[in-house]
Amino acid sequence: MSNKAVSYAGPGKVEVVDIPYPEFELKDGPGVNPANVGRKVDHGVILKVVSTNICGSDQHMVRGRTTAPEGLVLGHEITGEVVEVGRDVEFIKKGDLVSVPFNIACGRCRNCKERKTGICLNVNPDRPGSAYGYVDMGGWVGGQAEYVLVPYADWNLLKFPDKDQALEKILDLTMLSDIFPTGFHGAVSAGVGVGSTVYVAGAGPVGLAAATSAHLLGAAVVIVGDLVEDRLAKARSFGCETVDVSKGDPKDQIEQILGVPEVDCGVDAVGFEARGHGDNAQTEAPATVLNSLMDITMAGGSLGIPGLYVTGDPGAAEPAAREGSLSLRFGLGFAKSHVFVTGQCPVMKYHRGLMQAILHDKVSIAKNVNATAVSLDEAPKAYADFDAGAAKKFVLDPHGMVKAA
């Protein structure tokens, strides 16, 4: 059976290629850790991919800003229909429509049992934590494809209770694999609650998901900062205040909005390719957002940091940043007794509740992030448009099921 997929083809390039149809065994290939080759996956299922999204984290690799090998099949945001079930799967059945957390987790290790599924100890020989189609994550094949293998299916998969209802809301539900829980995790980690004032750095899809989540959690004022006016306009479309960081320090603009230059809660949805503020807005300065958040978050506040930071960035302008070392004003954070929450979002902690919010019309995440469905063959153009700052969340539709719905 054919299986077209999107692969990394070198800095600035992706291509649609033919790859083998999945089997219940992890095969050798680009990025696969040798210790994972031959690993049996009788606890897994094979999905017909219904939708699979392009993520800002994918863009970091495609820009050549990680150590990702050429030929790596991309895609960690997956929603699909079960077409084959492994020997050891008990509860997930053929025909089920499911959301796949981007974290791959075994469900057996200490961290999984403590709900820390973003840092599972058993799926990646390189380090705790794993994901589909991502550099240094063990080599599990990505889901920007027609078909994909998902391990530990009974544990990992979120089954939608009504298939027809789910297909009607598929553009919303596809966000459950990553950006909606990730944005929600950023807001929860920052301590957002009823009446909070919140600053979200970054108006890409994760930033907009964090802003949406802040509203869902009861925030009084949500302020979103970015350099791209189209993205800021999208934030304003669902009730956010906005800050154009190219016009100066966010602190001054926040004071104009709130009357004080600080917020209760701060969220970094930018990550390691951050740029400066004001006159330096076109200059890469990877610690800018973190230092700014310490400056504008009240003493005793928390910083949720769902934005990606890496241990290896070969494209960094500074030697230290190539190893993930940033010039942080950590003394400021210490003086203000800030709490920092970093790392992969443990998707399973949130995705069922967020699914219920979608199914019962409590939130419109697809509208807020401007979800835009395109075919698998259109993936290279979608990557290029997203990289250019398009205010869209591109959803790949390998089998035309999103369009049909």
Side-chain angles (χ1 to χ4, degrees):
M1 188 179 297
S2 70
N3 189 20
K4 292 198 297 184
V6 180
S7 76
Y8 171 58
K13 294 185 290 185
V14 300
E15 57 187 14
V16 179
V17 299
D18 292 312
I19 64 170
Y21 183 82
E23 300 179 34
F24 291 105
E25 179 181 315
L26 192 55
K27 305 289 188 178
D28 196 7
V32 181
N33 188 294
N36 262 353
V37 175
R39 187 169 180 163
K40 300 296 183 183
V41 193
D42 294 321
H43 43 67
V45 299
I46 294 171
L47 298 183
K48 178 182 180 180
V49 177
V50 173
S51 60
T52 176
N53 315 326
I54 296 175
C55 181
S57 299
D58 297 321
Q59 283 286 16
H60 292 307
M61 290 188 290
V62 172
R63 291 184 187 124
R65 297 300 296 270
T66 72
T67 56
E70 293 186 18
L72 182 74
V73 175
L74 302 167
H76 55 271
E77 300 189 16
I78 309 164
T79 304
E81 180 183 10
V82 178
V83 292
E84 291 189 47
V85 177
R87 182 194 64 197
D88 297 336
V89 176
E90 186 174 1
F91 303 112
I92 295 293
K93 306 298 182 186
K94 185 176 179 179
D96 286 347
L97 190 63
V98 296
S99 177
V100 185
F102 79 89
N103 327 105
I104 302 172
C106 72
R108 296 154 165 81
C109 71
R110 172 181 174 175
N111 283 349
C112 283
K113 290 179 180 180
E114 294 177 358
R115 302 182 78 192
K116 301 171 185 173
T117 53
I119 43 174
C120 173
L121 300 173
N122 288 331
V123 288
N124 181 5
D126 290 316
R127 61 172 64 91
S130 188
Y132 304 87
Y134 212 83
V135 59
D136 294 335
M137 287 293 186
W140 300 90
V141 177
Q144 288 177 14
E146 294 177 295
Y147 298 91
V148 67
L149 171 69
V150 173
Y152 303 103
D154 281 328
W155 169 250
N156 279 303
L157 297 179
L158 174 66
K159 177 184 172 181
F160 298 134
D162 184 297
K163 193 171 182 179
D164 291 336
Q165 180 194 27
L167 284 170
E168 289 176 4
K169 292 181 175 287
I170 194 64
L171 277 177
D172 291 286
L173 293 171
T174 191
M175 304 306 163
L176 291 174
S177 58
D178 182 355
I179 68 158
F180 197 10
T182 293
F184 193 83
H185 179 60
V188 168
S189 300
V192 177
V194 174
S196 297
T197 58
V198 186
Y199 178 70
V200 178
V206 170
L208 296 174
T212 300
S213 300
H215 283 306
L216 196 59
L217 290 163
V221 183
V222 181
I223 305 169
V224 180
D226 204 284
L227 298 161
V228 180
E229 173 52 32
D230 285 351
R231 291 182 169 184
L232 292 174
K234 196 65 199 171
R236 289 192 293 271
S237 75
F238 59 93
C240 299
E241 301 285 346
T242 58
V243 162
D244 184 342
V245 299
S246 71
K247 295 181 178 178
D249 193 319
K251 192 173 190 174
D252 300 328
Q253 298 176 66
I254 287 169
E255 186 170 20
Q256 291 174 15
I257 295 167
L258 297 177
V260 293
E262 288 188 324
V263 292
D264 300 328
C265 313
V267 179
D268 174 2
V270 178
F272 74 102
E273 287 192 67
R275 297 183 183 276
H277 294 154
D279 293 339
N280 297 317
Q282 299 307 315
T283 303
E284 190 166 305
T288 298
V289 170
L290 292 171
N291 287 329
S292 174
L293 285 176
M294 285 187 275
D295 192 31
I296 64 180
T297 302
M298 64 175 287
S302 298
L303 309 183
I305 309 172
L308 177 68
Y309 288 87
V310 294
T311 56
D313 175 10
E318 303 170 3
R322 291 171 198 160
E323 298 179 353
S325 296
L326 307 181
S327 298
L328 290 181
R329 293 185 65 197
F330 194 74
L332 176 60
F334 182 90
K336 295 179 79 172
S337 294
H338 283 155
V339 173
F340 297 75
V341 181
T342 67
Q344 286 188 39
C345 164
V347 170
M348 272 191 249
K349 192 172 181 178
Y350 308 107
H351 66 172
R352 184 174 297 278
L354 295 176
M355 174 188 74
Q356 293 288 72
I358 289 169
L359 294 178
H360 294 282
D361 300 317
K362 300 300 182 187
V363 67
S364 301
I365 185 65
K367 178 182 177 182
N368 289 2
V369 301
N370 197 16
T372 303
V374 298
S375 71
L376 200 65
D377 289 333
E378 294 175 288
K381 184 178 187 304
Y383 266 96
D385 289 348
F386 189 39
D387 189 50
K392 297 178 180 181
K393 175 67 173 178
F394 287 103
V395 177
L396 302 182
D397 183 12
H399 297 278
M401 295 176 73
V402 174
K403 185 177 180 181

